[in-house]
């Protein structure tokens, strides 16, 4: 992805953003904020606004896109309020989002509190990725579930892309942002474009959407100059000339920063590229308006505020604190009848940690079912003599938890989680263990490497191996459980070096 961080309206990144938006007709929107942990009647403050701009077209293959991260904690909010509002309501830009209404509420609150301007109250035209997903499911003849899927699940199903959400609750107010946070935030917005691309191709393939192609966007004759210029395909040279003259007057008489800002914003709007015919048809049929009601603009007071905490709750919290610190010994300990080999069970909240543990040679299983009940997780950990790793505090509340069978991971990032588990359980990691387990199923590799002929035979009808690898005298390895083939190529060596650095094995 081409990612740009915008922290000032005087920067080259902001200029690049305005120019890109003038050529964009589809934009993916997302926002990040630091979660509010208290029960106060307040909305979180949005500190990052992501805009993924699609600047390709059908002839370009829709491959050209760029993501801008607006650092709202650094930008002077009054200076960009009008500009963002124009983007949100521009009829020439289709806005994509995933449950963006909550983001809009928090964004509106942030500008009201810090910018002193009225909050944003609508986004149009808008399409929600949840509705696009349901449309694609319907066209494939699949049963549409009533439960709303997460964005990561939709991305994995439609794009085949694993979208890790482990950074969602990180501290987005802290600066500078980490590389992982930047990549996560950009991917969250960029994936919306990929999902829409598939939806658009499906709709276009099915044929015409609207009989009235030449029908105007708005029926109101009192559009005003700005409204007329925003209409797709508007070629009124007289109006355009008058507009340019008016803009020159504004710029010539600007005596304050506010006037200059208005002039710059108007110029950006004037240059907005109209939608092409096929996209306009899609917007007319499937587009919607996202707007806030008056009751949604202010936070509601917590019903639990002021309630007296019962002794049961206090005891429960103390119990959770006790489970937060590992006290050992683990179930694989020889003194308890174990084999001495560390074994873990990682629930859905730490799936990334499971793969990292496998990469350093540690046995790390995942639940047998997609959505296991708490009792299923505990039973699996008990039967397989594993320690259950989780970030879900609710799991710690169950009465039937086995002592020293569960550990709540504190860190959010996978690398830090790995180091935490290694330290807490005093795991012995050496270089020979790295990449010795199958990252797909947790199985062990066949100890003897396969010859090229054996690898070709093992891959038939199961896995495709690039022909160019057979001329490099690489060693091939096969998982004993799922038969997945691996080879010691560039990715293998990069992964080994990564975990040598993460685990500090050379120190």
């Amino acid at each position: 992805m081409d990612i740009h961080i915008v922290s000032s309206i005087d920067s080259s990144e902001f200029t690049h953003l305005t120019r890109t938006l003038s050529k964009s007709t589809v934009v993916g929107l997302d926002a990040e904020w630091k979660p509010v942990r208290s029960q106060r009647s307040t909305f979180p403050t949005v500190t990052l606004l992501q805009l993924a701009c699609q600047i390709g077209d059908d002839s370009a293959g829709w491959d050209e896109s760029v993501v801008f991260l607006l650092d709202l904690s650094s930008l002077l909010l009054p200076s960009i309020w009008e500009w963002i509002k124009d983007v949100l309501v521009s009829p020439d830009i289709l806005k994509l989002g995933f449950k963006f209404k909550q983001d809009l509420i928090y964004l509106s609150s942030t500008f009201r509190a810090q910018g002193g301007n009225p909050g944003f109250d609508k986004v149009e035209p808008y399409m929600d990725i949840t509705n696009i997903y349901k449309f694609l499911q319907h066209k494939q003849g699949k049963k549409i579930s009533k439960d709303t899927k997460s964005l990561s699940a939709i991305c994995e199903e439609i794009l085949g892309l694993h979208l890790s959400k482990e950074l969602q609750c990180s501290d987005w107010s802290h600066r500078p942002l980490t590389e992982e946070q930047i990549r996560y935030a950009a991917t969250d917005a960029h994936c919306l474009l990929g999902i829409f691309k598939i939806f658009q191709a499906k709709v276009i393939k099915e044929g015409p959407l609207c009989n009235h192609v030449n029908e105007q966007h708005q029926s109101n004759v009192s559009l005003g100059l700005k409204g007329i210029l925003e209409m797709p395909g508007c070629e009124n040279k007289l109006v355009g000339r008058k507009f340019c003259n008016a803009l020159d007057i504004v710029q010539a008489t600007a005596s304050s920063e506010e006037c200059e800002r208005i002039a710059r914003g108007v110029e950006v709007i004037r240059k907005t590229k109209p939608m092409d015919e096929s996209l306009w048809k899609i917007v007319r049929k499937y587009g919607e308006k996202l707007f806030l009601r008056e009751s949604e603009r202010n936070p509601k007071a917590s019903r639990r505020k002021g309630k007296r905490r019962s002794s049961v709750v206090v005891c429960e919290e103390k119990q959770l604190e006790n489970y937060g610190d590992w006290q050992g010994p683990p179930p694989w300990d020889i003194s308890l009848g174990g084999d001495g080999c560390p074994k873990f069970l990682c629930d859905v909240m730490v799936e990334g940690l499971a793969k990292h543990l496998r990469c350093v040679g540690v046995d790390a299983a995942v639940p047998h079912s997609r959505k296991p009940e708490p009792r299923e997780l505990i039973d699996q950990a008990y039967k397989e003599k594993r320690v259950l790793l989780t970030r879900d505090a609710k799991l710690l509340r169950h009465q039937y938890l086995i002592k020293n069978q569960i550990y709540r991971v504190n860190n959010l990032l996978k690398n830090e989680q790995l180091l935490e588990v290694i330290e807490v359980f005093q795991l012995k990691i050496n270089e020979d263990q790295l990449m010795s387990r199958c990252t797909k199923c947790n199985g062990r590799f066949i100890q003897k490497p396969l010859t090229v002929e054996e690898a070709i035979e093992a891959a038939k009808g199961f896995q495709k191996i690039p022909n160019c690898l057979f001329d490099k005298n690489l060693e091939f390895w096969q998982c004993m459980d799922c038969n997945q083939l691996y080879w010691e190529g560039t990715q293998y060596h990069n992964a080994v070096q990564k975990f040598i650095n993460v685990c500090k094995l050379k120190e």
Side-chain angles (χ1 to χ4, degrees):
M1 286 180 293
D2 187 10
I3 306 173
H4 298 268
I5 300 178
V6 182
S7 55
S8 170
I9 61 172
D10 298 322
S11 63
S12 59
E13 286 83 4
F14 185 76
T15 303
H16 184 25
L17 169 59
T18 56
R19 289 175 178 173
T20 302
L21 279 173
S22 69
K23 299 181 289 184
S24 303
T25 51
V26 181
V27 172
L29 295 173
D30 192 33
E32 304 296 345
W33 58 84
K34 181 180 180 180
V36 176
R37 302 298 184 188
S38 67
Q39 294 182 5
R40 294 179 300 166
S41 301
T42 181
F43 286 135
T45 299
V46 176
T47 56
L48 198 69
L49 178 65
Q50 303 103 281
L51 291 88
C53 304
Q54 184 69 67
I55 54 179
D57 52 27
D58 291 332
S59 60
W62 285 87
D63 288 330
E64 194 175 0
S65 59
V66 57
V67 183
F68 295 93
L69 308 181
L70 272 67
D71 186 358
L72 301 185
S73 63
S74 300
L75 288 163
L76 188 62
L77 299 190
S79 66
I80 61 171
W81 176 80
E82 285 284 356
W83 177 83
I84 292 180
K85 183 179 179 181
D86 287 334
V87 172
L88 295 180
V89 299
S90 171
D92 293 329
I93 302 177
L94 171 61
K95 275 71 66 172
L96 306 174
F98 178 75
K99 301 180 181 179
F100 190 71
K101 189 166 188 177
Q102 184 184 47
D103 295 350
L104 185 63
I105 292 173
Y106 295 170
L107 190 66
S108 176
S109 171
T110 298
F111 272 79
R112 280 203 310 271
Q114 300 183 24
N117 288 305
F120 308 112
D121 58 358
K122 64 180 177 179
V123 179
E124 61 172 333
Y126 171 78
M127 291 187 69
D128 198 284
I129 292 301
T130 302
N131 296 331
I132 291 177
Y133 170 73
K134 291 179 179 179
F135 172 89
L136 295 174
Q137 291 291 97
H138 175 70
K139 290 301 178 183
Q140 294 175 6
K142 297 182 179 179
K143 184 178 179 181
I144 300 176
S145 173
K146 292 182 180 180
D147 298 331
T148 304
K149 284 204 169 187
S150 64
L151 181 58
S152 58
I154 293 175
C155 283
E156 192 161 353
E157 185 171 338
I158 296 179
L159 301 177
L161 171 69
H162 178 68
L163 186 63
S164 175
K165 303 296 288 184
E166 64 180 35
L167 288 171
Q168 185 176 27
C169 296
S170 60
D171 187 355
W172 292 98
S173 64
H174 180 73
R175 294 294 182 273
L177 296 172
T178 66
E179 288 296 326
E180 290 85 357
Q181 285 179 311
I182 293 172
R183 175 68 58 175
Y184 166 85
T187 304
D188 243 14
H190 187 262
C191 69
L192 304 177
L193 299 178
I195 296 173
F196 179 77
K197 171 186 172 183
I198 295 175
F199 165 79
Q200 185 184 31
K202 183 73 174 176
V203 171
I204 293 176
K205 184 179 179 182
E206 292 189 347
L209 292 167
C210 178
N211 296 325
H212 306 290
V213 177
N214 296 321
E215 184 180 344
Q216 296 296 327
H217 272 199
Q218 303 179 45
S219 58
N220 187 354
V221 294
S222 303
L223 291 176
L225 182 58
K226 175 181 169 182
I228 294 173
L229 289 172
E230 288 179 343
M231 291 174 60
C234 178
E235 300 293 343
N236 192 323
K237 295 182 180 179
L238 177 62
V239 174
R241 192 181 305 115
K242 294 296 183 183
F243 180 85
C244 292
N245 292 339
L247 177 62
D248 293 338
I249 294 173
V250 171
Q251 291 175 331
T253 58
S255 58
S256 66
E257 293 182 1
E258 184 68 14
C259 290
E260 292 177 3
R261 180 188 62 75
I262 294 173
R264 284 198 302 269
V266 170
E267 186 173 6
V268 171
I269 296 169
R270 177 166 60 89
K271 295 180 180 178
T272 300
K273 174 185 175 182
M275 295 182 186
D276 59 38
E277 184 177 302
S278 63
L279 180 58
W280 178 46
K281 290 179 181 180
I282 291 175
V283 170
R284 283 188 60 81
K285 184 168 183 178
Y286 298 103
E288 57 183 301
K289 179 193 293 187
L290 187 66
F291 66 95
L292 302 183
R293 297 189 296 268
E294 190 64 36
S295 60
E296 295 173 324
R297 297 180 185 180
N298 297 308
K300 297 178 181 179
S302 173
R303 293 181 179 179
R304 296 182 298 173
K305 187 175 181 180
K307 276 191 175 181
R308 186 177 179 181
R309 299 166 70 196
S310 67
S311 58
V312 175
V313 173
V314 174
C315 293
E316 188 178 74
E317 288 181 354
K318 289 182 179 180
Q319 182 183 4
L320 297 184
E321 291 177 1
N322 293 334
Y323 276 114
D325 298 325
W326 181 256
Q327 298 177 359
W332 60 75
D333 193 276
I334 297 177
S335 63
L336 300 178
D339 56 9
C341 297
K343 300 182 187 69
F344 296 97
L345 174 62
C346 300
D347 72 354
V348 67
M349 299 190 74
V350 288
E351 279 185 334
L353 172 60
K355 291 186 177 180
H356 270 43
L357 285 168
R358 294 169 186 175
C359 287
V360 298
V362 177
D363 187 343
V366 294
H368 297 314
S369 59
R370 292 280 297 179
K371 295 182 179 179
E373 295 293 329
R375 187 63 191 241
E376 294 179 60
L377 287 172
I378 301 301
D379 288 345
Q380 183 179 347
Y382 174 72
K383 291 176 182 177
E384 299 175 9
K385 293 186 176 181
R386 299 179 182 275
V387 169
L388 174 60
L389 301 178
T390 183
R391 282 188 51 78
D392 187 0
K394 294 179 181 178
L395 279 175
L396 308 179
R397 295 189 173 99
H398 292 278
Q399 297 287 336
Y400 49 79
L401 284 173
I402 305 163
K403 187 179 180 181
N404 298 335
Q405 199 85 43
I406 188 169
Y407 175 73
R408 186 168 184 242
V409 180
N410 296 311
N411 287 291
L412 285 170
L413 303 181
K414 293 192 289 286
N415 290 350
E416 295 175 2
Q417 289 176 343
L418 176 62
L419 291 176
E420 178 184 346
V421 171
I422 290 175
E423 180 180 352
V424 169
F425 293 93
Q426 300 180 1
L427 305 181
K428 305 297 181 182
I429 307 296
N430 58 64
E431 194 171 339
D432 293 336
Q433 290 178 249
L434 301 182
M435 312 309 294
S436 62
R437 300 192 76 90
C438 176
T439 57
K440 183 178 179 181
C441 77
N442 192 43
R444 299 286 295 183
F445 292 150
I446 296 174
Q447 294 302 308
K448 182 182 177 182
L450 303 180
T451 63
V452 173
E453 292 76 14
E454 290 173 335
I456 294 175
E457 185 64 29
K460 283 183 179 179
F462 174 71
Q463 187 178 356
K464 186 176 181 180
I465 301 177
N467 294 329
C468 60
L469 297 178
F470 297 126
D471 300 328
K472 297 183 179 180
N473 295 321
L474 300 177
E475 289 188 339
F476 293 84
W477 301 85
Q478 188 174 26
C479 173
M480 291 187 287
D481 293 341
C482 70
N483 298 323
Q484 180 79 11
L485 286 172
Y486 294 84
W487 50 87
E488 296 184 357
T490 304
Q491 289 185 350
Y492 167 83
H493 292 293
N494 290 343
V496 169
Q497 188 58 50
K498 170 187 173 179
F499 287 103
I500 286 176
N501 296 335
V502 170
C503 299
K504 304 175 182 178
L505 298 181
K506 293 293 186 182
E507 296 182 1

PDB file of all heavy atoms in Angstrom, residues 93-112:
ATOM      1  N   ILE A  93     -18.273  11.499  -4.836  1.00  0.00           N
ATOM      2  CA  ILE A  93     -17.407  10.532  -4.147  1.00  0.00           C
ATOM      3  C   ILE A  93     -18.274   9.539  -3.392  1.00  0.00           C
ATOM      4  O   ILE A  93     -19.014   9.920  -2.481  1.00  0.00           O
ATOM      5  CB  ILE A  93     -16.445  11.232  -3.160  1.00  0.00           C
ATOM      6  CG1 ILE A  93     -15.574  12.254  -3.881  1.00  0.00           C
ATOM      7  CG2 ILE A  93     -15.566  10.196  -2.465  1.00  0.00           C
ATOM      8  CD1 ILE A  93     -14.661  13.035  -2.944  1.00  0.00           C
ATOM      9  N   LEU A  94     -18.181   8.274  -3.756  1.00  0.00           N
ATOM     10  CA  LEU A  94     -18.877   7.218  -3.017  1.00  0.00           C
ATOM     11  C   LEU A  94     -18.034   6.850  -1.804  1.00  0.00           C
ATOM     12  O   LEU A  94     -16.864   6.473  -1.944  1.00  0.00           O
ATOM     13  CB  LEU A  94     -19.091   5.990  -3.905  1.00  0.00           C
ATOM     14  CG  LEU A  94     -19.617   4.732  -3.194  1.00  0.00           C
ATOM     15  CD1 LEU A  94     -20.980   4.999  -2.562  1.00  0.00           C
ATOM     16  CD2 LEU A  94     -19.686   3.554  -4.155  1.00  0.00           C
ATOM     17  N   LYS A  95     -18.633   6.961  -0.621  1.00  0.00           N
ATOM     18  CA  LYS A  95     -17.934   6.636   0.614  1.00  0.00           C
ATOM     19  C   LYS A  95     -18.265   5.207   1.051  1.00  0.00           C
ATOM     20  O   LYS A  95     -19.438   4.824   1.082  1.00  0.00           O
ATOM     21  CB  LYS A  95     -18.322   7.612   1.727  1.00  0.00           C
ATOM     22  CG  LYS A  95     -17.530   8.911   1.739  1.00  0.00           C
ATOM     23  CD  LYS A  95     -17.822   9.863   0.612  1.00  0.00           C
ATOM     24  CE  LYS A  95     -19.225  10.414   0.680  1.00  0.00           C
ATOM     25  NZ  LYS A  95     -19.452  11.491  -0.330  1.00  0.00           N
ATOM     26  N   LEU A  96     -17.235   4.436   1.365  1.00  0.00           N
ATOM     27  CA  LEU A  96     -17.401   3.066   1.850  1.00  0.00           C
ATOM     28  C   LEU A  96     -17.019   3.019   3.329  1.00  0.00           C
ATOM     29  O   LEU A  96     -16.086   3.701   3.757  1.00  0.00           O
ATOM     30  CB  LEU A  96     -16.515   2.100   1.071  1.00  0.00           C
ATOM     31  CG  LEU A  96     -16.637   2.098  -0.454  1.00  0.00           C
ATOM     32  CD1 LEU A  96     -15.573   1.189  -1.062  1.00  0.00           C
ATOM     33  CD2 LEU A  96     -18.017   1.647  -0.887  1.00  0.00           C
ATOM     34  N   GLY A  97     -17.725   2.200   4.090  1.00  0.00           N
ATOM     35  CA  GLY A  97     -17.392   2.059   5.502  1.00  0.00           C
ATOM     36  C   GLY A  97     -17.905   0.753   6.058  1.00  0.00           C
ATOM     37  O   GLY A  97     -18.702   0.060   5.420  1.00  0.00           O
ATOM     38  N   PHE A  98     -17.426   0.407   7.235  1.00  0.00           N
ATOM     39  CA  PHE A  98     -17.916  -0.775   7.946  1.00  0.00           C
ATOM     40  C   PHE A  98     -18.470  -0.286   9.280  1.00  0.00           C
ATOM     41  O   PHE A  98     -17.715   0.111  10.165  1.00  0.00           O
ATOM     42  CB  PHE A  98     -16.797  -1.798   8.168  1.00  0.00           C
ATOM     43  CG  PHE A  98     -17.248  -3.012   8.939  1.00  0.00           C
ATOM     44  CD1 PHE A  98     -18.016  -3.989   8.329  1.00  0.00           C
ATOM     45  CD2 PHE A  98     -16.912  -3.180  10.276  1.00  0.00           C
ATOM     46  CE1 PHE A  98     -18.447  -5.102   9.026  1.00  0.00           C
ATOM     47  CE2 PHE A  98     -17.333  -4.296  10.991  1.00  0.00           C
ATOM     48  CZ  PHE A  98     -18.103  -5.258  10.358  1.00  0.00           C
ATOM     49  N   LYS A  99     -19.823  -0.246   9.374  1.00  0.00           N
ATOM     50  CA  LYS A  99     -20.489   0.296  10.570  1.00  0.00           C
ATOM     51  C   LYS A  99     -19.922   1.678  10.905  1.00  0.00           C
ATOM     52  O   LYS A  99     -19.546   1.969  12.050  1.00  0.00           O
ATOM     53  CB  LYS A  99     -20.296  -0.655  11.757  1.00  0.00           C
ATOM     54  CG  LYS A  99     -20.853  -2.047  11.516  1.00  0.00           C
ATOM     55  CD  LYS A  99     -20.626  -2.943  12.716  1.00  0.00           C
ATOM     56  CE  LYS A  99     -21.151  -4.342  12.482  1.00  0.00           C
ATOM     57  NZ  LYS A  99     -20.913  -5.241  13.622  1.00  0.00           N
ATOM     58  N   PHE A 100     -19.851   2.518   9.883  1.00  0.00           N
ATOM     59  CA  PHE A 100     -19.191   3.815  10.035  1.00  0.00           C
ATOM     60  C   PHE A 100     -20.015   4.793  10.864  1.00  0.00           C
ATOM     61  O   PHE A 100     -19.515   5.861  11.235  1.00  0.00           O
ATOM     62  CB  PHE A 100     -18.904   4.415   8.653  1.00  0.00           C
ATOM     63  CG  PHE A 100     -18.011   5.624   8.692  1.00  0.00           C
ATOM     64  CD1 PHE A 100     -16.672   5.498   9.005  1.00  0.00           C
ATOM     65  CD2 PHE A 100     -18.527   6.888   8.448  1.00  0.00           C
ATOM     66  CE1 PHE A 100     -15.851   6.618   9.065  1.00  0.00           C
ATOM     67  CE2 PHE A 100     -17.717   8.009   8.496  1.00  0.00           C
ATOM     68  CZ  PHE A 100     -16.370   7.873   8.804  1.00  0.00           C
ATOM     69  N   LYS A 101     -21.250   4.468  11.174  1.00  0.00           N
ATOM     70  CA  LYS A 101     -22.080   5.404  11.937  1.00  0.00           C
ATOM     71  C   LYS A 101     -21.471   5.696  13.303  1.00  0.00           C
ATOM     72  O   LYS A 101     -21.482   6.841  13.770  1.00  0.00           O
ATOM     73  CB  LYS A 101     -23.496   4.853  12.104  1.00  0.00           C
ATOM     74  CG  LYS A 101     -24.461   5.868  12.703  1.00  0.00           C
ATOM     75  CD  LYS A 101     -25.897   5.436  12.560  1.00  0.00           C
ATOM     76  CE  LYS A 101     -26.847   6.537  12.987  1.00  0.00           C
ATOM     77  NZ  LYS A 101     -28.258   6.178  12.787  1.00  0.00           N
ATOM     78  N   GLN A 102     -20.949   4.672  13.964  1.00  0.00           N
ATOM     79  CA  GLN A 102     -20.307   4.893  15.257  1.00  0.00           C
ATOM     80  C   GLN A 102     -19.088   5.804  15.091  1.00  0.00           C
ATOM     81  O   GLN A 102     -18.856   6.708  15.896  1.00  0.00           O
ATOM     82  CB  GLN A 102     -19.886   3.564  15.874  1.00  0.00           C
ATOM     83  CG  GLN A 102     -19.290   3.714  17.266  1.00  0.00           C
ATOM     84  CD  GLN A 102     -18.787   2.403  17.833  1.00  0.00           C
ATOM     85  OE1 GLN A 102     -18.093   1.648  17.155  1.00  0.00           O
ATOM     86  NE2 GLN A 102     -19.141   2.122  19.074  1.00  0.00           N
ATOM     87  N   ASP A 103     -18.310   5.572  14.025  1.00  0.00           N
ATOM     88  CA  ASP A 103     -17.164   6.433  13.754  1.00  0.00           C
ATOM     89  C   ASP A 103     -17.619   7.873  13.534  1.00  0.00           C
ATOM     90  O   ASP A 103     -16.969   8.817  14.000  1.00  0.00           O
ATOM     91  CB  ASP A 103     -16.410   5.944  12.513  1.00  0.00           C
ATOM     92  CG  ASP A 103     -15.784   4.575  12.720  1.00  0.00           C
ATOM     93  OD1 ASP A 103     -15.774   4.106  13.860  1.00  0.00           O
ATOM     94  OD2 ASP A 103     -15.307   3.978  11.743  1.00  0.00           O
ATOM     95  N   LEU A 104     -18.728   8.043  12.817  1.00  0.00           N
ATOM     96  CA  LEU A 104     -19.243   9.377  12.529  1.00  0.00           C
ATOM     97  C   LEU A 104     -19.688  10.089  13.811  1.00  0.00           C
ATOM     98  O   LEU A 104     -19.463  11.294  13.976  1.00  0.00           O
ATOM     99  CB  LEU A 104     -20.408   9.281  11.550  1.00  0.00           C
ATOM    100  CG  LEU A 104     -20.994  10.602  11.048  1.00  0.00           C
ATOM    101  CD1 LEU A 104     -19.947  11.378  10.263  1.00  0.00           C
ATOM    102  CD2 LEU A 104     -22.231  10.354  10.190  1.00  0.00           C
ATOM    103  N   ILE A 105     -20.307   9.348  14.716  1.00  0.00           N
ATOM    104  CA  ILE A 105     -20.726   9.930  16.001  1.00  0.00           C
ATOM    105  C   ILE A 105     -19.515  10.434  16.779  1.00  0.00           C
ATOM    106  O   ILE A 105     -19.495  11.560  17.282  1.00  0.00           O
ATOM    107  CB  ILE A 105     -21.504   8.891  16.835  1.00  0.00           C
ATOM    108  CG1 ILE A 105     -22.857   8.579  16.172  1.00  0.00           C
ATOM    109  CG2 ILE A 105     -21.714   9.385  18.261  1.00  0.00           C
ATOM    110  CD1 ILE A 105     -23.611   7.435  16.830  1.00  0.00           C
ATOM    111  N   TYR A 106     -18.485   9.591  16.862  1.00  0.00           N
ATOM    112  CA  TYR A 106     -17.281   9.978  17.607  1.00  0.00           C
ATOM    113  C   TYR A 106     -16.531  11.104  16.898  1.00  0.00           C
ATOM    114  O   TYR A 106     -15.967  11.996  17.550  1.00  0.00           O
ATOM    115  CB  TYR A 106     -16.358   8.775  17.777  1.00  0.00           C
ATOM    116  CG  TYR A 106     -16.928   7.669  18.633  1.00  0.00           C
ATOM    117  CD1 TYR A 106     -16.313   6.419  18.714  1.00  0.00           C
ATOM    118  CD2 TYR A 106     -18.091   7.862  19.373  1.00  0.00           C
ATOM    119  CE1 TYR A 106     -16.833   5.400  19.490  1.00  0.00           C
ATOM    120  CE2 TYR A 106     -18.622   6.848  20.163  1.00  0.00           C
ATOM    121  CZ  TYR A 106     -17.989   5.618  20.210  1.00  0.00           C
ATOM    122  OH  TYR A 106     -18.509   4.613  20.979  1.00  0.00           O
ATOM    123  N   LEU A 107     -16.503  11.072  15.565  1.00  0.00           N
ATOM    124  CA  LEU A 107     -15.833  12.117  14.794  1.00  0.00           C
ATOM    125  C   LEU A 107     -16.539  13.456  15.000  1.00  0.00           C
ATOM    126  O   LEU A 107     -15.896  14.495  15.197  1.00  0.00           O
ATOM    127  CB  LEU A 107     -15.826  11.731  13.314  1.00  0.00           C
ATOM    128  CG  LEU A 107     -14.963  12.571  12.379  1.00  0.00           C
ATOM    129  CD1 LEU A 107     -13.491  12.396  12.723  1.00  0.00           C
ATOM    130  CD2 LEU A 107     -15.206  12.163  10.925  1.00  0.00           C
ATOM    131  N   SER A 108     -17.858  13.419  14.972  1.00  0.00           N
ATOM    132  CA  SER A 108     -18.641  14.628  15.195  1.00  0.00           C
ATOM    133  C   SER A 108     -18.387  15.192  16.582  1.00  0.00           C
ATOM    134  O   SER A 108     -18.199  16.405  16.764  1.00  0.00           O
ATOM    135  CB  SER A 108     -20.135  14.308  15.017  1.00  0.00           C
ATOM    136  OG  SER A 108     -20.933  15.418  15.316  1.00  0.00           O
ATOM    137  N   SER A 109     -18.356  14.310  17.578  1.00  0.00           N
ATOM    138  CA  SER A 109     -18.097  14.740  18.957  1.00  0.00           C
ATOM    139  C   SER A 109     -16.710  15.351  19.104  1.00  0.00           C
ATOM    140  O   SER A 109     -16.521  16.349  19.808  1.00  0.00           O
ATOM    141  CB  SER A 109     -18.257  13.547  19.905  1.00  0.00           C
ATOM    142  OG  SER A 109     -17.826  13.860  21.213  1.00  0.00           O
ATOM    143  N   THR A 110     -15.725  14.757  18.429  1.00  0.00           N
ATOM    144  CA  THR A 110     -14.346  15.246  18.506  1.00  0.00           C
ATOM    145  C   THR A 110     -14.229  16.661  17.964  1.00  0.00           C
ATOM    146  O   THR A 110     -13.585  17.528  18.572  1.00  0.00           O
ATOM    147  CB  THR A 110     -13.406  14.313  17.724  1.00  0.00           C
ATOM    148  OG1 THR A 110     -13.440  13.003  18.307  1.00  0.00           O
ATOM    149  CG2 THR A 110     -11.971  14.816  17.749  1.00  0.00           C
ATOM    150  N   PHE A 111     -14.874  16.929  16.829  1.00  0.00           N
ATOM    151  CA  PHE A 111     -14.804  18.263  16.242  1.00  0.00           C
ATOM    152  C   PHE A 111     -15.600  19.275  17.057  1.00  0.00           C
ATOM    153  O   PHE A 111     -15.208  20.449  17.151  1.00  0.00           O
ATOM    154  CB  PHE A 111     -15.301  18.220  14.795  1.00  0.00           C
ATOM    155  CG  PHE A 111     -14.212  17.891  13.815  1.00  0.00           C
ATOM    156  CD1 PHE A 111     -13.805  16.581  13.647  1.00  0.00           C
ATOM    157  CD2 PHE A 111     -13.584  18.884  13.084  1.00  0.00           C
ATOM    158  CE1 PHE A 111     -12.800  16.262  12.755  1.00  0.00           C
ATOM    159  CE2 PHE A 111     -12.577  18.580  12.196  1.00  0.00           C
ATOM    160  CZ  PHE A 111     -12.175  17.272  12.025  1.00  0.00           C
ATOM    161  N   ARG A 112     -16.716  18.849  17.646  1.00  0.00           N
ATOM    162  CA  ARG A 112     -17.480  19.767  18.485  1.00  0.00           C
ATOM    163  C   ARG A 112     -16.672  20.162  19.718  1.00  0.00           C
ATOM    164  O   ARG A 112     -16.686  21.313  20.137  1.00  0.00           O
ATOM    165  CB  ARG A 112     -18.791  19.121  18.931  1.00  0.00           C
ATOM    166  CG  ARG A 112     -19.879  19.151  17.876  1.00  0.00           C
ATOM    167  CD  ARG A 112     -21.262  19.023  18.527  1.00  0.00           C
ATOM    168  NE  ARG A 112     -21.338  17.910  19.450  1.00  0.00           N
ATOM    169  CZ  ARG A 112     -21.682  16.675  19.105  1.00  0.00           C
ATOM    170  NH1 ARG A 112     -21.972  16.404  17.850  1.00  0.00           N
ATOM    171  NH2 ARG A 112     -21.743  15.718  19.999  1.00  0.00           N
TER     172      ARG A 112
END
